[in-house]
Amino acid sequence: MDIEHFKMLLINRQQELSQVEATGKASAETVELDQSRVGRLSRMDAMQSQAMSQATNQRRELQLKMISAALQRMETGDYGFCLSCDDQIAQQRLEIDPACTLCIDCAEQREA
């Protein structure tokens, strides 16, 4: 397994997520409820957009934590091994998500 390849994938994804983080935080800020400035439907749309931005920010933060954990596993030599059964994770699976922590069998068992 080419650890350097996966390390570069993780670092590139980390940089992409960090760049988007600043704009995402601005979208998730508190919605102004001044009725003289905005109509009721516009406020509802703004509140819905805010909720969607907050959910997106939470997913982004989770992805950044998963990437950081994967990079730490690389340092300890544990990268590429399933956290549940300790088998090696298929390289094709890591190509799709280099931060994944479970082999396909363990991931399917958790979903069931």
Side-chain angles (χ1 to χ4, degrees), residues 32-51:
E32 176 113 13
L33 296 177
D34 182 4
Q35 289 185 346
S36 64
R37 293 181 53 204
V38 180
R40 188 180 76 180
L41 293 177
S42 296
R43 281 194 316 278
M44 289 173 58
D45 286 342
M47 290 170 63
Q48 182 180 15
S49 292
Q50 176 195 26

Side-chain angles (χ1 to χ4, degrees), residues 4-108:
E4 286 301 314
H5 168 71
F6 292 111
K7 187 173 187 174
M8 289 307 301
L9 289 176
L10 288 165
I11 290 171
N12 288 339
R13 183 67 180 143
Q14 188 178 43
Q15 290 172 347
E16 289 171 9
L17 290 170
S18 295
Q19 289 173 353
V20 174
E21 190 172 23
T23 57
K25 286 184 179 181
S27 299
E29 290 179 357
T30 305
V31 175
E32 176 113 13
L33 296 177
D34 182 4
Q35 289 185 346
S36 64
R37 293 181 53 204
V38 180
R40 188 180 76 180
L41 293 177
S42 296
R43 281 194 316 278
M44 289 173 58
D45 286 342
M47 290 170 63
Q48 182 180 15
S49 292
Q50 176 195 26
M52 290 175 21
S53 292
Q54 288 173 340
T56 300
N57 289 343
Q58 289 173 346
R59 281 193 306 276
R60 185 174 30 259
E61 287 174 18
L62 178 61
Q63 288 178 331
L64 286 168
K65 287 178 184 177
M66 291 177 66
I67 289 170
S68 179
L71 291 169
Q72 288 176 351
R73 285 193 307 277
M74 284 181 176
E75 297 297 321
T76 62
D78 295 326
Y79 180 77
F81 293 96
C82 178
L83 295 181
S84 183
C85 70
D86 210 30
D87 282 345
Q88 192 165 7
I89 299 172
Q91 191 163 346
Q92 296 87 351
R93 182 164 170 77
L94 291 172
E95 285 288 341
I96 293 169
D97 181 7
C100 70
T101 59
L102 300 173
C103 67
I104 192 71
D105 293 331
C106 292
E108 286 176 350

